[in-house]
Amino acid sequence: MKDLDRFAITEAVLDRIAGTPDPRLKRILESAVRHLHDFAREVELTPEEWLAGIAFVTAVGQACTPRRQEFILLSDVLGLSRLVNVMHDARSRAEGATATSLLGPFFREDAPEVPLGGSLAARPESAGGKEILLFGRVTDAAGAPVPGATMDLWQADAAGRYDLQAEDPATVDMRGRLRCDAEGRYHLRTVKPLGYSVPMGGPVGRLVRQQGRHGHRPAHIHVLVTAPGYQDLVTALYFADDPHIASDTVFGVSDSLIVSERTGLPDSPRPDLPAVRYDFRLSPLAAGTTSGRVGADPSRLAVAAAAQGSPAG
Ligand code: BEZ
Ligand code: FE
């Protein structure tokens, strides 16, 4: 047994995992070990710092519930979620298709159906905000209409809160599922959202504060567009007049996703309302491409985690 100095230990681990049968898993593990060891060497990680890191990751796990995914939040504030999106877009987004953005932790699979022209505001208190219209088309990357697309929309209300943050967990508000018409057209009413802070009460919030950063996201409306034969489009529209438009704490904003509401847009179905016109352009679902969703409904993730078995196993 040779002495394992600060470099030999890396080679020893790589030798040990060389027999991993799944080639993709092998590649990921080898790279992770190399980078992890390089990182520890670069910062001269001490035993106390190593333990503090273990305590931090433990606290992140303990903060996860079926309603909260602290690990995804960690990935978001470190820019990893955005990086995974950017790389996915580079691999599989058709030229001209809409950019993706983060799904975030407030997506739910079971949004209520909203008719064309209907409103996302289900509660009278939400309806008190500034009413706006969102309209446009779902098309392919070249601009040809995609008939029968489905849009899921969810957003914070005019006070910057999601329904899932309401006292009553059964509250459903400011979210809905819309079916576009045969020419891919859609229009709906909603309330202009306010920007908000990501959950800052856990270990990730502490880490953000330790860096002297704020935890704000600029005002936005999340959109998931699905249609047969096309990749799921997970994106969001960001309002230009938000003070944090250039400093989103989770790096979700792209220039092409920034919008402003305007009156007097030529083909608005509701000329009486300030409106945002946005066309969503989908990429074809090529063989071997994945849906491209970054993130998931946290309650589904909790079920998937439980299915991996308990530590006693
Ligand atoms: C959101 O936009 O809903 C969100 C995204 C990342 C972290 C927290 C919230
Ligand atoms: Fe959001």
Side-chain angles (χ1 to χ4, degrees), residues 38-93:
D38 277 346
F39 148 75
R41 279 187 288 261
E42 185 181 318
V43 301
E44 289 288 338
L45 195 69
T46 68
E48 295 75 23
E49 289 162 345
W50 171 80
L51 210 51
I54 299 285
F56 173 74
V57 176
T58 304
V60 171
Q62 286 169 339
C64 291
T65 72
R67 285 166 66 90
R68 174 171 184 159
Q69 235 304 333
E70 194 79 357
F71 273 113
I72 292 187
L73 185 60
L74 179 61
S75 160
D76 294 343
V77 302
L78 294 180
L80 180 62
S81 310
R82 174 66 189 258
L83 172 61
V84 171
N85 265 351
V86 166
M87 292 190 296
H88 176 268
D89 277 7
R91 275 193 304 269
S92 63
R93 179 160 65 101

Short mmCIF file of all heavy atoms in Angstrom, two decimals, residues 38-93:
data_model
loop_
_atom_site.label_atom_id
_atom_site.label_comp_id
_atom_site.label_asym_id
_atom_site.label_seq_id
_atom_site.Cartn_x
_atom_site.Cartn_y
_atom_site.Cartn_z
N ASP A 38 -9.46 18.84 -6.31
CA ASP A 38 -8.75 20.06 -6.73
C ASP A 38 -9.20 21.25 -5.88
O ASP A 38 -8.39 22.08 -5.46
CB ASP A 38 -9.04 20.38 -8.21
CG ASP A 38 -8.14 19.58 -9.14
OD1 ASP A 38 -7.14 19.00 -8.65
OD2 ASP A 38 -8.46 19.51 -10.34
N PHE A 39 -10.51 21.32 -5.63
CA PHE A 39 -11.07 22.41 -4.82
C PHE A 39 -10.48 22.38 -3.41
O PHE A 39 -10.01 23.40 -2.89
CB PHE A 39 -12.61 22.28 -4.81
CG PHE A 39 -13.28 22.74 -3.56
CD1 PHE A 39 -13.42 24.11 -3.30
CD2 PHE A 39 -13.80 21.84 -2.65
CE1 PHE A 39 -14.04 24.54 -2.14
CE2 PHE A 39 -14.42 22.26 -1.49
CZ PHE A 39 -14.54 23.62 -1.23
N ALA A 40 -10.45 21.19 -2.80
CA ALA A 40 -9.93 21.08 -1.43
C ALA A 40 -8.45 21.48 -1.38
O ALA A 40 -8.01 22.18 -0.46
CB ALA A 40 -10.12 19.65 -0.91
N ARG A 41 -7.70 21.07 -2.40
CA ARG A 41 -6.27 21.44 -2.45
C ARG A 41 -6.11 22.95 -2.66
O ARG A 41 -5.30 23.59 -2.01
CB ARG A 41 -5.56 20.67 -3.58
CG ARG A 41 -5.18 19.25 -3.20
CD ARG A 41 -4.34 18.59 -4.30
NE ARG A 41 -5.14 18.28 -5.48
CZ ARG A 41 -5.63 17.07 -5.74
NH1 ARG A 41 -5.40 16.05 -4.94
NH2 ARG A 41 -6.36 16.86 -6.81
N GLU A 42 -6.94 23.49 -3.57
CA GLU A 42 -6.78 24.92 -3.91
C GLU A 42 -7.02 25.81 -2.70
O GLU A 42 -6.31 26.79 -2.49
CB GLU A 42 -7.76 25.29 -5.03
CG GLU A 42 -7.58 26.71 -5.52
CD GLU A 42 -8.56 27.06 -6.63
OE1 GLU A 42 -8.79 26.24 -7.51
OE2 GLU A 42 -9.13 28.17 -6.56
N VAL A 43 -8.05 25.49 -1.89
CA VAL A 43 -8.34 26.36 -0.74
C VAL A 43 -7.67 25.87 0.54
O VAL A 43 -7.86 26.44 1.60
CB VAL A 43 -9.88 26.51 -0.51
CG1 VAL A 43 -10.56 27.09 -1.73
CG2 VAL A 43 -10.53 25.20 -0.09
N GLU A 44 -6.88 24.76 0.44
CA GLU A 44 -6.25 24.17 1.64
C GLU A 44 -7.31 23.95 2.72
O GLU A 44 -7.21 24.46 3.84
CB GLU A 44 -5.13 25.08 2.18
CG GLU A 44 -3.88 25.13 1.32
CD GLU A 44 -3.07 23.82 1.38
OE1 GLU A 44 -3.23 23.07 2.36
OE2 GLU A 44 -2.32 23.54 0.43
N LEU A 45 -8.34 23.19 2.36
CA LEU A 45 -9.48 22.98 3.25
C LEU A 45 -9.04 22.37 4.59
O LEU A 45 -8.34 21.35 4.61
CB LEU A 45 -10.48 22.03 2.56
CG LEU A 45 -11.87 21.95 3.15
CD1 LEU A 45 -12.63 23.27 2.92
CD2 LEU A 45 -12.66 20.81 2.52
N THR A 46 -9.45 22.99 5.70
CA THR A 46 -9.07 22.48 7.03
C THR A 46 -10.15 21.52 7.53
O THR A 46 -11.29 21.56 7.05
CB THR A 46 -8.94 23.64 8.04
OG1 THR A 46 -10.25 24.19 8.27
CG2 THR A 46 -7.99 24.72 7.54
N PRO A 47 -9.83 20.69 8.54
CA PRO A 47 -10.85 19.78 9.09
C PRO A 47 -12.05 20.55 9.62
O PRO A 47 -13.19 20.09 9.49
CB PRO A 47 -10.11 19.06 10.22
CG PRO A 47 -8.67 19.11 9.83
CD PRO A 47 -8.49 20.41 9.11
N GLU A 48 -11.84 21.73 10.22
CA GLU A 48 -12.97 22.51 10.76
C GLU A 48 -13.87 22.99 9.62
O GLU A 48 -15.09 22.96 9.71
CB GLU A 48 -12.47 23.74 11.55
CG GLU A 48 -11.67 23.43 12.81
CD GLU A 48 -10.26 22.96 12.50
OE1 GLU A 48 -9.72 23.27 11.41
OE2 GLU A 48 -9.67 22.25 13.36
N GLU A 49 -13.25 23.43 8.54
CA GLU A 49 -14.04 23.91 7.39
C GLU A 49 -14.78 22.75 6.72
O GLU A 49 -15.92 22.89 6.27
CB GLU A 49 -13.12 24.62 6.38
CG GLU A 49 -12.63 25.96 6.91
CD GLU A 49 -11.41 26.48 6.16
OE1 GLU A 49 -10.76 25.69 5.42
OE2 GLU A 49 -11.09 27.67 6.32
N TRP A 50 -14.11 21.59 6.65
CA TRP A 50 -14.76 20.39 6.09
C TRP A 50 -16.01 20.05 6.90
O TRP A 50 -17.09 19.83 6.35
CB TRP A 50 -13.75 19.23 6.10
CG TRP A 50 -14.33 17.90 5.76
CD1 TRP A 50 -14.62 17.43 4.52
CD2 TRP A 50 -14.71 16.88 6.68
NE1 TRP A 50 -15.16 16.17 4.61
CE2 TRP A 50 -15.23 15.81 5.93
CE3 TRP A 50 -14.66 16.76 8.08
CZ2 TRP A 50 -15.69 14.64 6.51
CZ3 TRP A 50 -15.12 15.61 8.66
CH2 TRP A 50 -15.63 14.55 7.88
N LEU A 51 -15.88 20.10 8.24
CA LEU A 51 -17.01 19.79 9.11
C LEU A 51 -18.12 20.84 8.96
O LEU A 51 -19.31 20.51 8.95
CB LEU A 51 -16.53 19.73 10.56
CG LEU A 51 -17.27 18.79 11.51
CD1 LEU A 51 -17.40 17.39 10.93
CD2 LEU A 51 -16.55 18.75 12.86
N ALA A 52 -17.74 22.11 8.85
CA ALA A 52 -18.75 23.16 8.67
C ALA A 52 -19.51 22.93 7.36
O ALA A 52 -20.73 23.14 7.29
CB ALA A 52 -18.08 24.54 8.66
N GLY A 53 -18.80 22.47 6.34
CA GLY A 53 -19.46 22.16 5.06
C GLY A 53 -20.43 21.01 5.20
O GLY A 53 -21.55 21.04 4.67
N ILE A 54 -20.02 19.97 5.95
CA ILE A 54 -20.91 18.82 6.17
C ILE A 54 -22.15 19.29 6.94
O ILE A 54 -23.29 18.90 6.61
CB ILE A 54 -20.18 17.71 6.98
CG1 ILE A 54 -18.96 17.18 6.22
CG2 ILE A 54 -21.15 16.58 7.36
CD1 ILE A 54 -19.24 16.27 5.05
N ALA A 55 -21.95 20.14 7.96
CA ALA A 55 -23.10 20.64 8.74
C ALA A 55 -24.02 21.46 7.84
O ALA A 55 -25.25 21.36 7.94
CB ALA A 55 -22.60 21.50 9.91
N PHE A 56 -23.45 22.24 6.93
CA PHE A 56 -24.27 23.05 6.03
C PHE A 56 -25.13 22.15 5.12
O PHE A 56 -26.34 22.34 5.01
CB PHE A 56 -23.37 23.97 5.18
CG PHE A 56 -24.11 24.71 4.12
CD1 PHE A 56 -24.93 25.79 4.45
CD2 PHE A 56 -24.06 24.31 2.79
CE1 PHE A 56 -25.65 26.47 3.47
CE2 PHE A 56 -24.77 24.97 1.81
CZ PHE A 56 -25.57 26.05 2.15
N VAL A 57 -24.50 21.16 4.50
CA VAL A 57 -25.25 20.29 3.59
C VAL A 57 -26.33 19.51 4.36
O VAL A 57 -27.44 19.30 3.88
CB VAL A 57 -24.28 19.33 2.85
CG1 VAL A 57 -25.05 18.37 1.97
CG2 VAL A 57 -23.30 20.12 2.00
N THR A 58 -26.00 19.12 5.61
CA THR A 58 -26.99 18.44 6.44
C THR A 58 -28.18 19.37 6.70
O THR A 58 -29.34 18.95 6.58
CB THR A 58 -26.35 18.02 7.79
OG1 THR A 58 -25.20 17.21 7.51
CG2 THR A 58 -27.33 17.23 8.66
N ALA A 59 -27.90 20.63 7.00
CA ALA A 59 -28.99 21.59 7.27
C ALA A 59 -29.83 21.82 6.01
O ALA A 59 -31.06 21.96 6.09
CB ALA A 59 -28.40 22.92 7.77
N VAL A 60 -29.19 21.83 4.86
CA VAL A 60 -29.94 22.01 3.60
C VAL A 60 -30.92 20.84 3.44
O VAL A 60 -32.10 21.03 3.12
CB VAL A 60 -28.98 22.12 2.39
CG1 VAL A 60 -29.75 22.07 1.08
CG2 VAL A 60 -28.18 23.42 2.47
N GLY A 61 -30.44 19.62 3.69
CA GLY A 61 -31.33 18.45 3.59
C GLY A 61 -32.46 18.53 4.60
O GLY A 61 -33.62 18.24 4.27
N GLN A 62 -32.13 18.96 5.82
CA GLN A 62 -33.16 19.01 6.87
C GLN A 62 -34.21 20.08 6.57
O GLN A 62 -35.34 20.00 7.06
CB GLN A 62 -32.52 19.27 8.23
CG GLN A 62 -31.80 18.03 8.76
CD GLN A 62 -30.93 18.32 9.98
OE1 GLN A 62 -30.54 19.47 10.22
NE2 GLN A 62 -30.62 17.28 10.74
N ALA A 63 -33.85 21.09 5.77
CA ALA A 63 -34.82 22.15 5.45
C ALA A 63 -35.78 21.73 4.33
O ALA A 63 -36.75 22.45 4.05
CB ALA A 63 -34.07 23.42 5.05
N CYS A 64 -35.51 20.61 3.67
CA CYS A 64 -36.38 20.19 2.56
C CYS A 64 -37.65 19.55 3.09
O CYS A 64 -37.62 18.76 4.04
CB CYS A 64 -35.66 19.17 1.68
SG CYS A 64 -34.29 19.88 0.75
N THR A 65 -38.77 19.90 2.50
CA THR A 65 -40.07 19.32 2.83
C THR A 65 -40.81 19.11 1.51
O THR A 65 -40.34 19.55 0.47
CB THR A 65 -40.91 20.28 3.71
OG1 THR A 65 -41.34 21.38 2.89
CG2 THR A 65 -40.13 20.81 4.90
N PRO A 66 -42.00 18.50 1.54
CA PRO A 66 -42.76 18.39 0.29
C PRO A 66 -43.14 19.75 -0.29
O PRO A 66 -43.54 19.85 -1.45
CB PRO A 66 -44.00 17.59 0.71
CG PRO A 66 -43.56 16.81 1.90
CD PRO A 66 -42.59 17.69 2.62
N ARG A 67 -43.02 20.85 0.51
CA ARG A 67 -43.36 22.18 -0.01
C ARG A 67 -42.14 23.06 -0.23
O ARG A 67 -42.27 24.20 -0.63
CB ARG A 67 -44.31 22.88 0.98
CG ARG A 67 -45.73 22.33 0.95
CD ARG A 67 -46.54 22.79 2.13
NE ARG A 67 -46.79 24.22 2.14
CZ ARG A 67 -47.83 24.81 1.59
NH1 ARG A 67 -48.72 24.10 0.95
NH2 ARG A 67 -47.98 26.11 1.67
N ARG A 68 -40.98 22.54 0.08
CA ARG A 68 -39.79 23.39 -0.01
C ARG A 68 -38.58 22.56 -0.44
O ARG A 68 -38.33 21.50 0.12
CB ARG A 68 -39.54 23.99 1.37
CG ARG A 68 -38.26 24.77 1.45
CD ARG A 68 -38.18 25.50 2.74
NE ARG A 68 -36.98 26.31 2.75
CZ ARG A 68 -36.80 27.34 3.52
NH1 ARG A 68 -37.75 27.70 4.36
NH2 ARG A 68 -35.69 28.02 3.47
N GLN A 69 -37.83 23.03 -1.44
CA GLN A 69 -36.67 22.30 -1.93
C GLN A 69 -35.43 23.17 -1.75
O GLN A 69 -35.04 23.95 -2.62
CB GLN A 69 -36.85 21.91 -3.40
CG GLN A 69 -36.70 20.43 -3.67
CD GLN A 69 -35.36 19.86 -3.21
OE1 GLN A 69 -34.35 20.55 -3.12
NE2 GLN A 69 -35.36 18.58 -2.90
N GLU A 70 -34.79 23.02 -0.59
CA GLU A 70 -33.64 23.88 -0.26
C GLU A 70 -32.43 23.56 -1.15
O GLU A 70 -31.63 24.44 -1.44
CB GLU A 70 -33.31 23.70 1.22
CG GLU A 70 -32.38 24.74 1.81
CD GLU A 70 -33.06 26.07 2.16
OE1 GLU A 70 -34.27 26.23 1.90
OE2 GLU A 70 -32.35 26.96 2.68
N PHE A 71 -32.31 22.30 -1.62
CA PHE A 71 -31.17 21.97 -2.50
C PHE A 71 -31.30 22.68 -3.85
O PHE A 71 -30.31 23.16 -4.42
CB PHE A 71 -31.07 20.45 -2.71
CG PHE A 71 -30.25 19.78 -1.65
CD1 PHE A 71 -30.84 18.91 -0.75
CD2 PHE A 71 -28.89 20.02 -1.54
CE1 PHE A 71 -30.10 18.29 0.23
CE2 PHE A 71 -28.13 19.42 -0.55
CZ PHE A 71 -28.74 18.55 0.34
N ILE A 72 -32.54 22.74 -4.38
CA ILE A 72 -32.70 23.46 -5.65
C ILE A 72 -32.42 24.94 -5.43
O ILE A 72 -31.78 25.60 -6.26
CB ILE A 72 -34.10 23.23 -6.27
CG1 ILE A 72 -34.24 21.76 -6.70
CG2 ILE A 72 -34.31 24.15 -7.47
CD1 ILE A 72 -35.51 21.44 -7.46
N LEU A 73 -32.85 25.47 -4.30
CA LEU A 73 -32.57 26.88 -3.99
C LEU A 73 -31.05 27.12 -3.96
O LEU A 73 -30.55 28.12 -4.48
CB LEU A 73 -33.22 27.27 -2.66
CG LEU A 73 -33.12 28.73 -2.26
CD1 LEU A 73 -33.78 29.64 -3.31
CD2 LEU A 73 -33.78 28.96 -0.90
N LEU A 74 -30.32 26.17 -3.37
CA LEU A 74 -28.86 26.28 -3.33
C LEU A 74 -28.29 26.29 -4.75
O LEU A 74 -27.45 27.13 -5.10
CB LEU A 74 -28.28 25.11 -2.51
CG LEU A 74 -26.76 25.04 -2.39
CD1 LEU A 74 -26.21 26.28 -1.71
CD2 LEU A 74 -26.35 23.78 -1.63
N SER A 75 -28.77 25.37 -5.56
CA SER A 75 -28.34 25.30 -6.96
C SER A 75 -28.66 26.62 -7.67
O SER A 75 -27.86 27.12 -8.46
CB SER A 75 -29.05 24.11 -7.63
OG SER A 75 -29.05 24.24 -9.03
N ASP A 76 -29.83 27.20 -7.36
CA ASP A 76 -30.25 28.45 -8.01
C ASP A 76 -29.33 29.61 -7.64
O ASP A 76 -28.87 30.35 -8.51
CB ASP A 76 -31.68 28.82 -7.57
CG ASP A 76 -32.73 27.83 -8.05
OD1 ASP A 76 -32.45 27.05 -8.97
OD2 ASP A 76 -33.85 27.84 -7.49
N VAL A 77 -29.06 29.79 -6.34
CA VAL A 77 -28.29 30.97 -5.93
C VAL A 77 -26.80 30.84 -6.31
O VAL A 77 -26.08 31.83 -6.35
CB VAL A 77 -28.44 31.32 -4.42
CG1 VAL A 77 -29.89 31.55 -4.06
CG2 VAL A 77 -27.80 30.27 -3.53
N LEU A 78 -26.37 29.59 -6.58
CA LEU A 78 -24.98 29.40 -7.03
C LEU A 78 -24.88 29.42 -8.55
O LEU A 78 -23.80 29.20 -9.11
CB LEU A 78 -24.43 28.07 -6.48
CG LEU A 78 -24.27 27.98 -4.96
CD1 LEU A 78 -23.71 26.62 -4.55
CD2 LEU A 78 -23.38 29.10 -4.42
N GLY A 79 -26.02 29.64 -9.22
CA GLY A 79 -25.99 29.75 -10.69
C GLY A 79 -25.94 28.41 -11.41
O GLY A 79 -25.86 28.36 -12.63
N LEU A 80 -26.02 27.29 -10.65
CA LEU A 80 -25.93 25.97 -11.30
C LEU A 80 -27.19 25.68 -12.12
O LEU A 80 -27.10 25.14 -13.22
CB LEU A 80 -25.70 24.88 -10.24
CG LEU A 80 -25.58 23.46 -10.77
CD1 LEU A 80 -24.37 23.31 -11.71
CD2 LEU A 80 -25.46 22.45 -9.62
N SER A 81 -28.35 26.08 -11.60
CA SER A 81 -29.61 25.83 -12.34
C SER A 81 -29.57 26.58 -13.67
O SER A 81 -29.94 26.05 -14.71
CB SER A 81 -30.81 26.27 -11.51
OG SER A 81 -30.75 25.74 -10.21
N ARG A 82 -29.12 27.83 -13.63
CA ARG A 82 -29.04 28.62 -14.87
C ARG A 82 -28.03 27.98 -15.83
O ARG A 82 -28.27 27.89 -17.04
CB ARG A 82 -28.65 30.07 -14.54
CG ARG A 82 -28.40 30.94 -15.75
CD ARG A 82 -29.68 31.16 -16.56
NE ARG A 82 -29.44 31.81 -17.83
CZ ARG A 82 -29.67 33.10 -18.09
NH1 ARG A 82 -30.15 33.88 -17.15
NH2 ARG A 82 -29.45 33.60 -19.27
N LEU A 83 -26.90 27.53 -15.29
CA LEU A 83 -25.88 26.92 -16.15
C LEU A 83 -26.43 25.68 -16.86
O LEU A 83 -26.22 25.47 -18.06
CB LEU A 83 -24.65 26.57 -15.31
CG LEU A 83 -23.55 25.74 -16.00
CD1 LEU A 83 -22.97 26.48 -17.21
CD2 LEU A 83 -22.43 25.41 -15.01
N VAL A 84 -27.17 24.85 -16.10
CA VAL A 84 -27.74 23.63 -16.71
C VAL A 84 -28.73 24.02 -17.81
O VAL A 84 -28.76 23.41 -18.89
CB VAL A 84 -28.40 22.75 -15.62
CG1 VAL A 84 -29.19 21.59 -16.23
CG2 VAL A 84 -27.33 22.19 -14.68
N ASN A 85 -29.53 25.08 -17.57
CA ASN A 85 -30.46 25.57 -18.59
C ASN A 85 -29.73 26.05 -19.83
O ASN A 85 -30.12 25.75 -20.96
CB ASN A 85 -31.25 26.78 -18.04
CG ASN A 85 -32.58 26.38 -17.45
OD1 ASN A 85 -33.00 25.24 -17.58
ND2 ASN A 85 -33.23 27.32 -16.80
N VAL A 86 -28.68 26.85 -19.61
CA VAL A 86 -27.93 27.43 -20.74
C VAL A 86 -27.33 26.31 -21.60
O VAL A 86 -27.39 26.35 -22.83
CB VAL A 86 -26.82 28.37 -20.20
CG1 VAL A 86 -25.81 28.71 -21.28
CG2 VAL A 86 -27.43 29.64 -19.63
N MET A 87 -26.78 25.29 -20.93
CA MET A 87 -26.17 24.20 -21.69
C MET A 87 -27.23 23.39 -22.42
O MET A 87 -27.03 22.97 -23.56
CB MET A 87 -25.35 23.29 -20.76
CG MET A 87 -24.12 23.99 -20.20
SD MET A 87 -23.00 22.88 -19.33
CE MET A 87 -24.02 22.34 -17.97
N HIS A 88 -28.40 23.21 -21.77
CA HIS A 88 -29.49 22.49 -22.44
C HIS A 88 -29.96 23.25 -23.67
O HIS A 88 -30.16 22.68 -24.74
CB HIS A 88 -30.65 22.27 -21.48
CG HIS A 88 -31.83 21.62 -22.14
ND1 HIS A 88 -32.85 22.34 -22.70
CD2 HIS A 88 -32.11 20.32 -22.37
CE1 HIS A 88 -33.72 21.51 -23.24
NE2 HIS A 88 -33.30 20.28 -23.05
N ASP A 89 -30.10 24.58 -23.51
CA ASP A 89 -30.53 25.41 -24.64
C ASP A 89 -29.53 25.31 -25.79
O ASP A 89 -29.91 25.20 -26.95
CB ASP A 89 -30.66 26.89 -24.21
CG ASP A 89 -31.99 27.17 -23.54
OD1 ASP A 89 -32.75 26.20 -23.29
OD2 ASP A 89 -32.28 28.35 -23.25
N ALA A 90 -28.24 25.36 -25.44
CA ALA A 90 -27.22 25.32 -26.48
C ALA A 90 -27.26 24.01 -27.25
O ALA A 90 -27.02 23.96 -28.45
CB ALA A 90 -25.83 25.52 -25.86
N ARG A 91 -27.60 22.92 -26.54
CA ARG A 91 -27.64 21.61 -27.20
C ARG A 91 -28.89 21.42 -28.03
O ARG A 91 -28.85 20.83 -29.10
CB ARG A 91 -27.60 20.50 -26.13
CG ARG A 91 -26.23 20.10 -25.66
CD ARG A 91 -26.30 18.81 -24.86
NE ARG A 91 -27.22 18.91 -23.73
CZ ARG A 91 -26.88 19.30 -22.51
NH1 ARG A 91 -25.63 19.61 -22.25
NH2 ARG A 91 -27.78 19.36 -21.55
N SER A 92 -30.05 21.89 -27.51
CA SER A 92 -31.29 21.43 -28.15
C SER A 92 -32.28 22.52 -28.51
O SER A 92 -33.31 22.22 -29.10
CB SER A 92 -31.97 20.39 -27.24
OG SER A 92 -32.33 20.99 -26.03
N ARG A 93 -32.02 23.79 -28.20
CA ARG A 93 -32.99 24.83 -28.57
C ARG A 93 -32.80 25.19 -30.04
O ARG A 93 -31.68 25.48 -30.46
CB ARG A 93 -32.82 26.06 -27.68
CG ARG A 93 -33.79 27.17 -28.02
CD ARG A 93 -33.93 28.13 -26.86
NE ARG A 93 -32.71 28.84 -26.54
CZ ARG A 93 -32.47 30.10 -26.90
NH1 ARG A 93 -33.36 30.78 -27.58
NH2 ARG A 93 -31.35 30.68 -26.54
#
